[in-house]
Amino acid sequence: MPYKILCGFAAAILCVLTVLPQARAFSPTGYSSVERKEATEPFYIAMLFYKLIDYRPNFAAWITDTPEYKGMPAIEQDMYLDEKVGYFKSLFFDIEESAPIIVNIKTQLSPYSREHGGFFIESFRPDLFFSYEYMGNRFAIIPTDIDSYQWYQVSQTDLEDTGVNFEKSTPIDVQLLLVPSAADSSKPTQLGDFEHWVINATVKEIQIWAPGGGRLLWVAQKTAGQDNTLLELFKE
């Protein structure tokens, strides 16, 4: 299946007329507050890929190819190179392969379906991937189970407590916490317009925020390898 970044979901909306995906019910999770995290940088994604395939990159080559190194006086380059190589090695060996990758995206909810009691999240389709570029290489994070979080079921009464009009398509901010599961070093995969080195990942947590990220609406979480019946509806 070809993958596309944040593709539209007109076909998914039509599917609601026939077969709905498994719903994620709203239920208390015990959260009182959740803080948004900074998105994972391409530099870390590149290091994570090589850590997953048990290969240590040539950090000196990375550093000498940077504008910072090339732009400094020659007399300072050796010291700078030694310091940076030591830092890169330390960071590389400290990477926890099971630590979540943080991804922030903007997407939309479909209009609320009164008939089926829920809505779709536009971007959560099987062909979703997130692209990163570092040192001339492209890497892709593929959330392999994201489509199981595509449809959310919630009562209309609970939605009224948010103060948001869900009768029309609603823009939202989403933060994904994705746990790496495997990396493919055999060959790059064509995704969109570019070839990527692929890291597969599974969903650990999904945070859904009102536009602008100022107000948390719901949190979905997976623990101990099992799906919780999600999501907490935050009420004011």
Side-chain angles (χ1 to χ4, degrees):
M1 172 186 296
Y3 289 87
K4 300 177 183 177
I5 299 178
L6 301 184
C7 61
F9 76 126
I13 295 298
L14 293 177
C15 287
V16 76
L17 299 177
T18 54
V19 179
L20 291 174
Q22 178 184 357
R24 302 292 178 178
F26 289 81
S27 63
T29 62
Y31 286 113
S32 57
S33 64
V34 175
E35 294 184 0
R36 297 190 75 184
K37 301 176 177 65
E38 294 294 326
T40 301
E41 297 289 341
F43 166 74
Y44 182 91
I45 297 296
M47 282 215 171
L48 174 63
F49 176 82
Y50 293 119
K51 187 69 175 285
L52 288 168
I53 66 172
D54 196 26
Y55 172 81
R56 191 173 77 181
N58 184 345
F59 296 126
W62 285 14
I63 296 161
T64 55
D65 197 39
T66 62
E68 291 81 6
Y69 178 86
K70 293 178 179 179
M72 66 177 50
I75 195 171
E76 299 177 9
Q77 287 180 334
D78 286 346
M79 181 178 295
Y80 178 83
L81 181 62
D82 288 342
E83 290 178 353
K84 282 293 186 180
V85 167
Y87 169 73
F88 277 28
K89 286 182 179 179
S90 176
L91 181 60
F92 181 76
F93 288 118
D94 286 344
I95 286 177
E96 296 182 17
E97 297 174 28
S98 60
I101 299 162
I102 311 300
V103 181
N104 293 321
I105 63 173
K106 295 183 182 295
T107 185
Q108 296 193 36
L109 298 176
S110 69
Y112 181 73
S113 170
R114 293 175 181 269
E115 179 182 358
H116 298 286
F119 38 61
F120 282 96
I121 294 183
E122 177 177 322
S123 304
F124 288 8
R125 295 175 56 83
D127 52 3
L128 175 66
F129 72 95
F130 303 103
S131 180
Y132 302 82
E133 191 276 332
Y134 189 74
M135 289 295 175
N137 288 309
R138 291 184 181 271
F139 304 88
I141 304 298
I142 298 179
T144 56
D145 58 346
I146 194 68
D147 56 327
S148 66
Y149 296 86
Q150 186 182 36
W151 169 258
Y152 289 104
Q153 186 169 342
V154 59
S155 72
Q156 189 172 356
T157 300
D158 284 340
L159 287 182
E160 291 172 356
D161 291 329
T162 67
V164 179
N165 179 12
F166 291 101
E167 298 300 320
K168 58 182 180 181
S169 184
T170 306
I172 54 172
D173 290 352
V174 176
Q175 180 162 100
L176 299 169
L177 278 66
L178 306 173
V179 176
S181 56
D184 183 2
S185 62
S186 59
K187 62 179 181 179
T189 300
Q190 186 75 30
L191 300 173
D193 295 330
F194 302 98
E195 290 188 334
H196 293 74
W197 296 104
V198 168
I199 300 175
N200 289 332
T202 57
V203 171
K204 176 180 176 62
E205 182 174 293
I206 299 171
Q207 300 172 18
I208 299 178
W209 295 74
R215 182 181 175 213
L216 180 64
L217 297 176
W218 304 294
V219 173
Q221 196 177 52
K222 178 188 287 186
T223 58
Q226 296 182 350
D227 295 336
N228 287 340
T229 53
L230 300 162
L231 302 168
E232 172 160 20
L233 180 61
F234 282 76
K235 301 179 181 180
E236 293 183 341

PDB file of all heavy atoms in Angstrom, residues 145-166:
ATOM      1  N   ASP A 145      -0.560   0.990  14.096  1.00  0.00           N
ATOM      2  CA  ASP A 145      -1.894   0.708  14.632  1.00  0.00           C
ATOM      3  C   ASP A 145      -2.776   1.953  14.709  1.00  0.00           C
ATOM      4  O   ASP A 145      -3.796   1.958  15.385  1.00  0.00           O
ATOM      5  CB  ASP A 145      -1.795   0.063  16.015  1.00  0.00           C
ATOM      6  CG  ASP A 145      -1.028   0.928  17.019  1.00  0.00           C
ATOM      7  OD1 ASP A 145      -0.348   1.890  16.582  1.00  0.00           O
ATOM      8  OD2 ASP A 145      -1.099   0.648  18.230  1.00  0.00           O
ATOM      9  N   ILE A 146      -2.393   3.016  13.997  1.00  0.00           N
ATOM     10  CA  ILE A 146      -3.101   4.290  14.140  1.00  0.00           C
ATOM     11  C   ILE A 146      -4.554   4.203  13.684  1.00  0.00           C
ATOM     12  O   ILE A 146      -5.432   4.896  14.200  1.00  0.00           O
ATOM     13  CB  ILE A 146      -2.365   5.411  13.369  1.00  0.00           C
ATOM     14  CG1 ILE A 146      -2.883   6.796  13.788  1.00  0.00           C
ATOM     15  CG2 ILE A 146      -2.495   5.218  11.865  1.00  0.00           C
ATOM     16  CD1 ILE A 146      -2.546   7.173  15.186  1.00  0.00           C
ATOM     17  N   ASP A 147      -4.857   3.324  12.717  1.00  0.00           N
ATOM     18  CA  ASP A 147      -6.216   3.263  12.202  1.00  0.00           C
ATOM     19  C   ASP A 147      -7.197   2.727  13.235  1.00  0.00           C
ATOM     20  O   ASP A 147      -8.404   2.965  13.131  1.00  0.00           O
ATOM     21  CB  ASP A 147      -6.294   2.436  10.917  1.00  0.00           C
ATOM     22  CG  ASP A 147      -5.751   1.029  11.086  1.00  0.00           C
ATOM     23  OD1 ASP A 147      -4.806   0.843  11.870  1.00  0.00           O
ATOM     24  OD2 ASP A 147      -6.271   0.107  10.442  1.00  0.00           O
ATOM     25  N   SER A 148      -6.703   2.019  14.259  1.00  0.00           N
ATOM     26  CA  SER A 148      -7.617   1.532  15.290  1.00  0.00           C
ATOM     27  C   SER A 148      -8.059   2.651  16.227  1.00  0.00           C
ATOM     28  O   SER A 148      -8.934   2.442  17.071  1.00  0.00           O
ATOM     29  CB  SER A 148      -6.960   0.399  16.094  1.00  0.00           C
ATOM     30  OG  SER A 148      -5.868   0.864  16.841  1.00  0.00           O
ATOM     31  N   TYR A 149      -7.462   3.827  16.065  1.00  0.00           N
ATOM     32  CA  TYR A 149      -7.862   5.003  16.856  1.00  0.00           C
ATOM     33  C   TYR A 149      -8.608   6.031  15.998  1.00  0.00           C
ATOM     34  O   TYR A 149      -8.819   7.162  16.408  1.00  0.00           O
ATOM     35  CB  TYR A 149      -6.632   5.664  17.472  1.00  0.00           C
ATOM     36  CG  TYR A 149      -5.916   4.782  18.461  1.00  0.00           C
ATOM     37  CD1 TYR A 149      -4.956   3.867  18.033  1.00  0.00           C
ATOM     38  CD2 TYR A 149      -6.207   4.835  19.818  1.00  0.00           C
ATOM     39  CE1 TYR A 149      -4.307   3.040  18.932  1.00  0.00           C
ATOM     40  CE2 TYR A 149      -5.558   4.011  20.721  1.00  0.00           C
ATOM     41  CZ  TYR A 149      -4.609   3.116  20.270  1.00  0.00           C
ATOM     42  OH  TYR A 149      -3.967   2.301  21.156  1.00  0.00           O
ATOM     43  N   GLN A 150      -9.007   5.627  14.819  1.00  0.00           N
ATOM     44  CA  GLN A 150      -9.600   6.566  13.860  1.00  0.00           C
ATOM     45  C   GLN A 150     -11.006   6.985  14.243  1.00  0.00           C
ATOM     46  O   GLN A 150     -11.419   8.120  13.992  1.00  0.00           O
ATOM     47  CB  GLN A 150      -9.605   5.911  12.471  1.00  0.00           C
ATOM     48  CG  GLN A 150     -10.068   6.815  11.349  1.00  0.00           C
ATOM     49  CD  GLN A 150     -10.091   6.064  10.031  1.00  0.00           C
ATOM     50  OE1 GLN A 150     -10.411   4.881   9.984  1.00  0.00           O
ATOM     51  NE2 GLN A 150      -9.748   6.743   8.958  1.00  0.00           N
ATOM     52  N   TRP A 151     -11.764   6.093  14.823  1.00  0.00           N
ATOM     53  CA  TRP A 151     -13.167   6.359  15.139  1.00  0.00           C
ATOM     54  C   TRP A 151     -13.353   6.450  16.648  1.00  0.00           C
ATOM     55  O   TRP A 151     -12.914   5.564  17.381  1.00  0.00           O
ATOM     56  CB  TRP A 151     -14.057   5.255  14.578  1.00  0.00           C
ATOM     57  CG  TRP A 151     -15.484   5.301  15.069  1.00  0.00           C
ATOM     58  CD1 TRP A 151     -16.059   4.518  16.022  1.00  0.00           C
ATOM     59  CD2 TRP A 151     -16.520   6.189  14.630  1.00  0.00           C
ATOM     60  NE1 TRP A 151     -17.376   4.844  16.203  1.00  0.00           N
ATOM     61  CE2 TRP A 151     -17.693   5.874  15.360  1.00  0.00           C
ATOM     62  CE3 TRP A 151     -16.573   7.227  13.692  1.00  0.00           C
ATOM     63  CZ2 TRP A 151     -18.895   6.559  15.181  1.00  0.00           C
ATOM     64  CZ3 TRP A 151     -17.772   7.888  13.516  1.00  0.00           C
ATOM     65  CH2 TRP A 151     -18.918   7.558  14.254  1.00  0.00           C
ATOM     66  N   TYR A 152     -13.968   7.527  17.113  1.00  0.00           N
ATOM     67  CA  TYR A 152     -14.237   7.710  18.536  1.00  0.00           C
ATOM     68  C   TYR A 152     -15.736   7.793  18.772  1.00  0.00           C
ATOM     69  O   TYR A 152     -16.443   8.544  18.089  1.00  0.00           O
ATOM     70  CB  TYR A 152     -13.556   8.975  19.063  1.00  0.00           C
ATOM     71  CG  TYR A 152     -12.065   8.841  19.133  1.00  0.00           C
ATOM     72  CD1 TYR A 152     -11.246   9.440  18.188  1.00  0.00           C
ATOM     73  CD2 TYR A 152     -11.464   8.097  20.141  1.00  0.00           C
ATOM     74  CE1 TYR A 152      -9.885   9.305  18.242  1.00  0.00           C
ATOM     75  CE2 TYR A 152     -10.099   7.959  20.204  1.00  0.00           C
ATOM     76  CZ  TYR A 152      -9.312   8.566  19.255  1.00  0.00           C
ATOM     77  OH  TYR A 152      -7.956   8.424  19.310  1.00  0.00           O
ATOM     78  N   GLN A 153     -16.180   7.035  19.731  1.00  0.00           N
ATOM     79  CA  GLN A 153     -17.599   7.007  20.062  1.00  0.00           C
ATOM     80  C   GLN A 153     -17.820   7.730  21.385  1.00  0.00           C
ATOM     81  O   GLN A 153     -17.145   7.467  22.378  1.00  0.00           O
ATOM     82  CB  GLN A 153     -18.091   5.561  20.186  1.00  0.00           C
ATOM     83  CG  GLN A 153     -19.589   5.442  20.380  1.00  0.00           C
ATOM     84  CD  GLN A 153     -20.043   3.994  20.213  1.00  0.00           C
ATOM     85  OE1 GLN A 153     -19.324   3.172  19.651  1.00  0.00           O
ATOM     86  NE2 GLN A 153     -21.229   3.699  20.696  1.00  0.00           N
ATOM     87  N   VAL A 154     -18.775   8.651  21.407  1.00  0.00           N
ATOM     88  CA  VAL A 154     -19.051   9.444  22.602  1.00  0.00           C
ATOM     89  C   VAL A 154     -20.484   9.952  22.519  1.00  0.00           C
ATOM     90  O   VAL A 154     -21.007  10.217  21.431  1.00  0.00           O
ATOM     91  CB  VAL A 154     -18.067  10.625  22.718  1.00  0.00           C
ATOM     92  CG1 VAL A 154     -18.146  11.541  21.530  1.00  0.00           C
ATOM     93  CG2 VAL A 154     -18.289  11.404  24.017  1.00  0.00           C
ATOM     94  N   SER A 155     -21.120  10.075  23.653  1.00  0.00           N
ATOM     95  CA  SER A 155     -22.504  10.539  23.654  1.00  0.00           C
ATOM     96  C   SER A 155     -22.561  12.040  23.377  1.00  0.00           C
ATOM     97  O   SER A 155     -21.631  12.787  23.684  1.00  0.00           O
ATOM     98  CB  SER A 155     -23.161  10.253  25.008  1.00  0.00           C
ATOM     99  OG  SER A 155     -22.645  11.110  26.003  1.00  0.00           O
ATOM    100  N   GLN A 156     -23.664  12.456  22.815  1.00  0.00           N
ATOM    101  CA  GLN A 156     -23.839  13.870  22.517  1.00  0.00           C
ATOM    102  C   GLN A 156     -23.865  14.703  23.802  1.00  0.00           C
ATOM    103  O   GLN A 156     -23.372  15.835  23.839  1.00  0.00           O
ATOM    104  CB  GLN A 156     -25.136  14.077  21.727  1.00  0.00           C
ATOM    105  CG  GLN A 156     -25.293  15.494  21.186  1.00  0.00           C
ATOM    106  CD  GLN A 156     -26.484  15.608  20.256  1.00  0.00           C
ATOM    107  OE1 GLN A 156     -27.142  14.625  19.962  1.00  0.00           O
ATOM    108  NE2 GLN A 156     -26.754  16.805  19.789  1.00  0.00           N
ATOM    109  N   THR A 157     -24.382  14.129  24.869  1.00  0.00           N
ATOM    110  CA  THR A 157     -24.428  14.845  26.150  1.00  0.00           C
ATOM    111  C   THR A 157     -23.025  15.172  26.642  1.00  0.00           C
ATOM    112  O   THR A 157     -22.751  16.289  27.094  1.00  0.00           O
ATOM    113  CB  THR A 157     -25.151  14.003  27.214  1.00  0.00           C
ATOM    114  OG1 THR A 157     -26.482  13.749  26.767  1.00  0.00           O
ATOM    115  CG2 THR A 157     -25.181  14.736  28.546  1.00  0.00           C
ATOM    116  N   ASP A 158     -22.110  14.205  26.542  1.00  0.00           N
ATOM    117  CA  ASP A 158     -20.736  14.454  26.966  1.00  0.00           C
ATOM    118  C   ASP A 158     -20.053  15.503  26.103  1.00  0.00           C
ATOM    119  O   ASP A 158     -19.257  16.306  26.598  1.00  0.00           O
ATOM    120  CB  ASP A 158     -19.927  13.163  26.943  1.00  0.00           C
ATOM    121  CG  ASP A 158     -20.243  12.249  28.104  1.00  0.00           C
ATOM    122  OD1 ASP A 158     -20.776  12.746  29.120  1.00  0.00           O
ATOM    123  OD2 ASP A 158     -19.979  11.038  28.001  1.00  0.00           O
ATOM    124  N   LEU A 159     -20.352  15.511  24.819  1.00  0.00           N
ATOM    125  CA  LEU A 159     -19.754  16.512  23.939  1.00  0.00           C
ATOM    126  C   LEU A 159     -20.185  17.918  24.309  1.00  0.00           C
ATOM    127  O   LEU A 159     -19.421  18.872  24.187  1.00  0.00           O
ATOM    128  CB  LEU A 159     -20.120  16.227  22.481  1.00  0.00           C
ATOM    129  CG  LEU A 159     -19.422  15.043  21.817  1.00  0.00           C
ATOM    130  CD1 LEU A 159     -19.861  14.932  20.368  1.00  0.00           C
ATOM    131  CD2 LEU A 159     -17.917  15.178  21.899  1.00  0.00           C
ATOM    132  N   GLU A 160     -21.416  18.068  24.769  1.00  0.00           N
ATOM    133  CA  GLU A 160     -21.914  19.394  25.138  1.00  0.00           C
ATOM    134  C   GLU A 160     -21.107  20.015  26.267  1.00  0.00           C
ATOM    135  O   GLU A 160     -20.982  21.234  26.363  1.00  0.00           O
ATOM    136  CB  GLU A 160     -23.388  19.309  25.515  1.00  0.00           C
ATOM    137  CG  GLU A 160     -24.305  18.996  24.330  1.00  0.00           C
ATOM    138  CD  GLU A 160     -25.736  18.714  24.748  1.00  0.00           C
ATOM    139  OE1 GLU A 160     -25.987  18.691  25.974  1.00  0.00           O
ATOM    140  OE2 GLU A 160     -26.586  18.504  23.866  1.00  0.00           O
ATOM    141  N   ASP A 161     -20.506  19.171  27.108  1.00  0.00           N
ATOM    142  CA  ASP A 161     -19.721  19.683  28.228  1.00  0.00           C
ATOM    143  C   ASP A 161     -18.417  20.341  27.783  1.00  0.00           C
ATOM    144  O   ASP A 161     -17.785  21.059  28.559  1.00  0.00           O
ATOM    145  CB  ASP A 161     -19.401  18.555  29.215  1.00  0.00           C
ATOM    146  CG  ASP A 161     -20.642  18.060  29.944  1.00  0.00           C
ATOM    147  OD1 ASP A 161     -21.560  18.880  30.152  1.00  0.00           O
ATOM    148  OD2 ASP A 161     -20.694  16.871  30.293  1.00  0.00           O
ATOM    149  N   THR A 162     -17.982  20.096  26.540  1.00  0.00           N
ATOM    150  CA  THR A 162     -16.734  20.694  26.062  1.00  0.00           C
ATOM    151  C   THR A 162     -16.918  22.140  25.634  1.00  0.00           C
ATOM    152  O   THR A 162     -15.956  22.898  25.565  1.00  0.00           O
ATOM    153  CB  THR A 162     -16.172  19.919  24.867  1.00  0.00           C
ATOM    154  OG1 THR A 162     -17.053  20.071  23.737  1.00  0.00           O
ATOM    155  CG2 THR A 162     -16.006  18.447  25.198  1.00  0.00           C
ATOM    156  N   GLY A 163     -18.145  22.531  25.293  1.00  0.00           N
ATOM    157  CA  GLY A 163     -18.378  23.869  24.783  1.00  0.00           C
ATOM    158  C   GLY A 163     -17.949  24.055  23.345  1.00  0.00           C
ATOM    159  O   GLY A 163     -17.898  25.180  22.846  1.00  0.00           O
ATOM    160  N   VAL A 164     -17.608  22.955  22.663  1.00  0.00           N
ATOM    161  CA  VAL A 164     -17.173  23.002  21.269  1.00  0.00           C
ATOM    162  C   VAL A 164     -18.298  22.481  20.379  1.00  0.00           C
ATOM    163  O   VAL A 164     -18.962  21.504  20.709  1.00  0.00           O
ATOM    164  CB  VAL A 164     -15.903  22.153  21.050  1.00  0.00           C
ATOM    165  CG1 VAL A 164     -15.470  22.190  19.591  1.00  0.00           C
ATOM    166  CG2 VAL A 164     -14.776  22.638  21.948  1.00  0.00           C
ATOM    167  N   ASN A 165     -18.525  23.156  19.248  1.00  0.00           N
ATOM    168  CA  ASN A 165     -19.545  22.726  18.297  1.00  0.00           C
ATOM    169  C   ASN A 165     -18.973  21.642  17.390  1.00  0.00           C
ATOM    170  O   ASN A 165     -18.156  21.918  16.508  1.00  0.00           O
ATOM    171  CB  ASN A 165     -20.014  23.918  17.460  1.00  0.00           C
ATOM    172  CG  ASN A 165     -21.057  23.522  16.433  1.00  0.00           C
ATOM    173  OD1 ASN A 165     -21.601  22.409  16.465  1.00  0.00           O
ATOM    174  ND2 ASN A 165     -21.353  24.425  15.507  1.00  0.00           N
ATOM    175  N   PHE A 166     -19.382  20.397  17.627  1.00  0.00           N
ATOM    176  CA  PHE A 166     -18.889  19.270  16.839  1.00  0.00           C
ATOM    177  C   PHE A 166     -19.842  18.899  15.708  1.00  0.00           C
ATOM    178  O   PHE A 166     -19.677  17.854  15.081  1.00  0.00           O
ATOM    179  CB  PHE A 166     -18.663  18.055  17.747  1.00  0.00           C
ATOM    180  CG  PHE A 166     -17.524  18.222  18.708  1.00  0.00           C
ATOM    181  CD1 PHE A 166     -17.764  18.552  20.030  1.00  0.00           C
ATOM    182  CD2 PHE A 166     -16.219  18.057  18.291  1.00  0.00           C
ATOM    183  CE1 PHE A 166     -16.722  18.700  20.928  1.00  0.00           C
ATOM    184  CE2 PHE A 166     -15.166  18.209  19.175  1.00  0.00           C
ATOM    185  CZ  PHE A 166     -15.410  18.530  20.499  1.00  0.00           C
TER     186      PHE A 166
END
